[in-house]
């Protein structure tokens, strides 16, 4: 850590005196209160990014003044946050499964909910030291990279339709030194044709087009969020096509919306998957479903 730039000091927009770190944080938290449930945290994370320090640094340097250059950049990033831009796009990073992932507006910001899927995938593969895994719609690479970090002997294929997303995922893998991944572009199961996996995992888009929640997600790529009029288009495709790429006893593990558990179980059973099971997350919501292929239903 190094101290913030000091000179010349600038006041927070509403102040008369040059603003110190503490003043700027109070101003920023106030400016974000209306738009964010985590206004103070957002204010701190955005300032840490500019000062290249951690949150403890903000306490240590609470009385130091910000330089004009940093103050201007901070005010600009607080304004973008106030207009709804997610913190992760402003800082360009998001932690997932304790991995520091770089994110851009080309990829969905990985959610803590998806760590639940990673946990379940690892349990599912606990007896398999060198599994073959596929992550469909990898985005930033979150699921594939988390699994790679836990299963060094696994071979993992990560796919996406978006070339930009794949570039981001590939870059994250390089930064993290995770080498056992292969990145392929294509439509759901198409890039896996002719191969069989122990586990196919996916957090596909599952929001219905026209869902009012999309307004709050307007900075994220629409293709990462929506899947047809009922939100099930991608889930249907994956459930239908995955059997051609699963080993006998291999699993398809899907994240889905909290109200879609019943529907996904129905799709899997209808297609002939066995041991279909949905698990609830810590909030008691049905967020992930698995089905095994090639066993008696
Ligand atoms: C909900 S995001 C999940 C991203 C990442 N796996 C995560 O959990 O953070 C869905 C991803 O699916 C990709 N996608 C959308 N349609 C696709 C398709 N037809 N084939 C492959 N990937 C697709 C999107 O580009 C996006 O990266």
């Amino acid at each position: 850590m190094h101290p913030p730039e000091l000179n010349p000091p600038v006041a927070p927009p509403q102040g008369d005196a040059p603003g110190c770190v503490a003043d700027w944080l109070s101003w920023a938290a106030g400016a974000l209160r209306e738009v964010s449930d985590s206004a103070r945290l957002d204010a701190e994370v955005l300032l840490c990014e500019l000062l290249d320090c951690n949150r403890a640094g903000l306490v240590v340097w609470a009385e130091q003044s910000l330089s004009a250059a940093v103050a201007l950049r901070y005010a600009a990033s607080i304004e973008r946050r106030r207009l709804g831009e997610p913190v992760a796009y402003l800082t360009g990073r998001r932690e997932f499964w304790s991995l520091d992932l770089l994110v851009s507006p080309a990829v969905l910001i990985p959610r803590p909910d998806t760590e639940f899927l990673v946990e379940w995938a690892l349990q599912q593969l606990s007896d398999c030291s060198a599994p073959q895994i596929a992550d469909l719609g990898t985005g930033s690479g979150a699921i594939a990279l988390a699994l790679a970090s836990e299963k060094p002997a696994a071979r993992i294929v990560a796919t996406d339709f978006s070339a930009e997303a794949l570039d981001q995922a590939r870059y994250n893998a390089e930064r993290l030194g995770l080498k056992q991944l292969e990145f392929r572009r294509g439509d759901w199961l198409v890039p896996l044709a002719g191969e069989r996996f122990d586990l196919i995992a996916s957090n596909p888009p599952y929001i219905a087009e026209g869902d009012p929640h999309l307004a709050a997600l307007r900075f994220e790529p629409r293709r990462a969020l929506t899947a047809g009029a009922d939100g099930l288009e991608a889930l249907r495709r994956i459930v239908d096509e995955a059997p051609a790429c699963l080993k006998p006893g291999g699993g398809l593990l899907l994240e889905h919306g909290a109200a879609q558990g019943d529907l996904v179980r129905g799709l899997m059973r209808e297609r002939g998957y066995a041991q279909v099971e949905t698990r609830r997350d810590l909030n008691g919501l049905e967020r992930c479903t698995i089905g095994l292929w090639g066993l008696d239903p």
Side-chain angles (χ1 to χ4, degrees), residues 89 103-108 139-140 160 162-166 168 219-221 224:
Y89 287 155
V103 295
S104 76
V107 298
L108 185 96
S140 61
D160 208 289
S162 155
E164 278 174 293
L166 279 182
Q168 185 80 68
F219 287 91
E220 295 183 84

Side-chain angles (χ1 to χ4, degrees), residues 108 110 114 135 137-139 142-143 160-162 165 186-188 203-205 223-224:
L108 185 96
T114 304
D135 169 24
T138 196
I143 295 170
D160 208 289
F161 204 75
S162 155
D187 190 20
W188 297 130
N203 171 23
R223 183 154 202 157

Side-chain angles (χ1 to χ4, degrees), residues 138 141 143-145 148 154-158 173 178-183:
T138 196
I143 295 170
L145 296 169
R155 179 182 155 255
I156 303 180
V157 177
L178 295 167
K179 299 191 193 315
Q180 77 272 42
L181 295 112
E182 208 185 304
F183 296 93

Side-chain angles (χ1 to χ4, degrees), residues 18 46 62-63 76 85 99 124 126 134 149 167 169 232 249 271 275 285:
L46 292 171
E63 301 307 319
E85 207 164 328
L99 303 173
Q124 189 63 25
S126 59
S149 73
D167 285 346
L232 290 172
R271 182 71 177 85
Q275 299 180 28
L285 301 172

Side-chain angles (χ1 to χ4, degrees), residues 111 133 158 214 226 235 245 247 253 260 297:
R111 308 292 203 269
I133 305 172
L214 289 169
T226 62
L235 288 161
C245 299
K247 293 182 185 174
L253 177 58
Q260 294 171 328

Side-chain angles (χ1 to χ4, degrees), residues 96 101 103 106-111 113-115 117-118 135-144 159-163 165-166 184-191 201-206 220-227 234 237-238 255:
F96 181 84
L101 299 184
V103 295
V107 298
L108 185 96
I109 298 164
R111 308 292 203 269
D113 310 20
T114 304
E115 293 181 337
L117 177 143
V118 171
D135 169 24
L136 305 183
T138 196
S140 61
I143 295 170
T159 74
D160 208 289
F161 204 75
S162 155
L166 279 182
R184 297 184 195 164
R185 184 165 182 224
D187 190 20
W188 297 130
L189 274 299
V190 175
S202 183
N203 171 23
Y206 50 72
E220 295 183 84
R222 191 48 72 100
R223 183 154 202 157
L225 298 168
T226 62
R237 284 266 320 270
I238 296 170
E255 180 172 327

